[in-house]
Amino acid sequence: MNAFDYRAPRGLDEALAVLSEYGEDARAIAGGTALVTMMRQRLVRPSCLVSLRDVQGLDRIEAVNGSLRLGALVTLRDAEVSPLVRERLPLLAETCRRVATVRIRHMATVGGALAHADPNQDPPVTLLALGARVEIRGARGSRELPLGAFFRDYYETALEPGELVTAVTVPTLPAASGAAFLKFLPRTADDYATVAAAAIVTLESDGERCREARIALGSVGVTPLRASAAEGLLAGERRGENILRAAGAAARTSVDPLSDHRGSAAYKREMTAVMVERALAQAWDAAQRSALAR
Ligand SMILES: Cc1cc2nc3c(=O)[nH]c(=O)nc-3n(C[C@H](O)[C@H](O)[C@H](O)COP(=O)(O)OP(=O)(O)OC[C@H]3O[C@@H](n4cnc5c(N)ncnc54)[C@H](O)[C@@H]3O)c2cc1C
């Protein structure tokens, strides 16, 4: 590891000022679970680490206008066990529970999980399916982006140098909705996914036909991605094996996986179809239960 300065500001403005002072050579550090590994491997050599751990006000989970807002310093463990997240966004709590081990989840943060932009991560998949928006602050002000526009490429986001993720805002599901997150890991239970799929189905008032389906996938492209072709097949349809299978097959056309030690590209493409079909079946069943309970 290279020598570096270390700063631990207590306020956001101060953190942004230090990032500006050091320019592109500075790196924010939150939980450190990804960055420290990258530094050990000499993939990054920052001249200054700006710790966000003491920055006040970034660790809250709050309900805001039909959404939940999670500050960037909320840990994945906080999101997993928060009563508010479990009640309003159980899909997100369950997704966080599936990340790595509890030791990693106690350190890794929501902001770090987004800014790191590893396409094999789980929370971004579910956040993309849920239609989350990222709040960004820089020295020149604030902006907000839908998650789909935030991820640009392999480990690359829309963050400009000196900008920080400050929060993510996640809409809760409409009535008569059901959701599922499936992570296919043929190796160990704490591994990254070979394929991850999040599906959300919202039904019409008849409790039968699909009003909207949202499907997001991880580990099968350079960013987490939406399976738009599959989603498009489902609107107006009733649940049936054929339509679920067709949606799985359509999802295969949206992905462009890399071959690696978790599977060949062809295998991941096949498993995409399987996982999408299963996630949709679970989400649709949950949506029907939700519609019946109204
Ligand atoms: C052994 C191991 C297993 C793992 N398994 C999984 C898994 O199964 N599923 C999964 O989803 N993930 C997994 N992860 C990845 C883990 O989720 C990420 O490492 C973590 O989310 C990163 O968050 P962090 O707070 O530790 O980020 P850090 O390591 O502190 O930072 C990561 C990057 O984000 C930047 N950054 C951090 N916070 C901000 C911010 N607020 N604004 C702007 N930039 C910021 C940093 O500058 C750095 O570039 C695993 C990690 C490890 C080490």
Side-chain angles (χ1 to χ4, degrees):
M1 237 189 247
N2 61 306
F4 52 86
D5 291 346
Y6 182 81
R7 305 279 281 272
R10 298 186 61 80
L12 188 54
D13 288 339
E14 194 190 336
L16 293 170
V18 180
L19 287 170
S20 297
E21 180 189 330
Y22 280 85
E24 292 197 19
D25 288 344
R27 278 283 185 137
I29 181 162
T33 59
L35 187 58
V36 172
T37 307
M38 290 194 297
M39 288 173 68
R40 282 210 185 106
Q41 293 172 344
R42 297 177 183 269
L43 293 171
V44 290
R45 295 164 184 239
S47 60
C48 179
L49 283 191
V50 184
S51 170
L52 303 180
R53 299 292 288 193
D54 297 333
V55 173
Q56 304 293 301
L58 295 183
D59 59 353
R60 294 191 202 117
I61 301 176
E62 50 201 351
V64 189
N65 301 331
S67 298
L68 287 192
R69 183 175 178 277
L70 287 80
L73 286 185
V74 168
T75 67
L76 300 185
R77 178 68 176 167
D78 292 336
E80 172 192 352
V81 299
S82 152
L84 202 53
V85 179
R86 288 174 103 139
E87 186 203 322
R88 311 253 179 117
L89 287 171
L91 180 71
L92 182 59
E94 168 60 12
T95 304
C96 291
R97 188 183 72 79
R98 303 298 308 279
V99 172
T101 60
V102 72
R103 287 176 64 200
I104 298 284
R105 298 199 294 276
H106 267 296
M107 296 302 294
T109 63
V110 166
L114 295 175
H116 187 43
D118 176 345
N120 298 312
Q121 287 179 287
D122 304 307
V125 177
T126 287
L127 290 169
L128 185 62
L130 286 165
R133 298 179 69 82
V134 194
E135 291 176 29
I136 297 168
R137 269 281 294 277
R140 279 177 295 165
S142 307
R143 60 193 181 114
E144 202 185 72
L145 281 179
L147 208 50
F150 179 76
F151 295 116
R152 290 273 168 87
D153 207 336
Y154 204 55
Y155 292 94
E156 194 184 311
T157 69
L159 285 174
E160 300 287 347
E163 283 188 325
L164 290 171
V165 172
T166 49
V168 59
T169 304
V170 197
T172 51
L173 294 182
S177 294
F181 172 78
L182 296 182
K183 180 172 179 179
F184 177 57
L185 358 87
R187 296 175 357 132
T188 58
D190 59 354
D191 195 12
Y192 288 89
T194 294
V195 177
I200 299 167
V201 172
T202 303
L203 299 177
E204 294 287 4
S205 51
D206 62 7
E208 293 290 335
R209 279 172 300 121
C210 174
R211 174 182 298 171
E212 187 186 19
R214 298 175 64 93
I215 304 163
L217 298 163
S219 300
V220 285
V222 293
T223 65
L225 50 89
R226 292 273 296 278
S228 311
E231 293 174 351
L233 288 180
L234 294 162
E237 295 292 335
R238 288 171 196 275
R239 191 189 188 294
E241 274 180 27
N242 289 347
I243 189 70
L244 296 183
R245 192 160 305 134
R252 217 174 11 205
T253 64
S254 299
V255 304
D256 187 14
L258 292 174
S259 294
D260 61 20
H261 59 287
R262 295 190 181 88
S264 67
Y267 179 59
K268 291 182 189 180
R269 230 175 254 118
E270 287 311 306
M271 289 314 296
T272 298
V274 174
M275 299 318 272
V276 165
E277 188 179 334
R278 285 185 194 164
L280 279 172
Q282 287 186 21
W284 207 308
D285 289 347
Q288 284 182 321
R289 285 196 297 276
S290 160
L292 279 174
R294 286 166 76 198

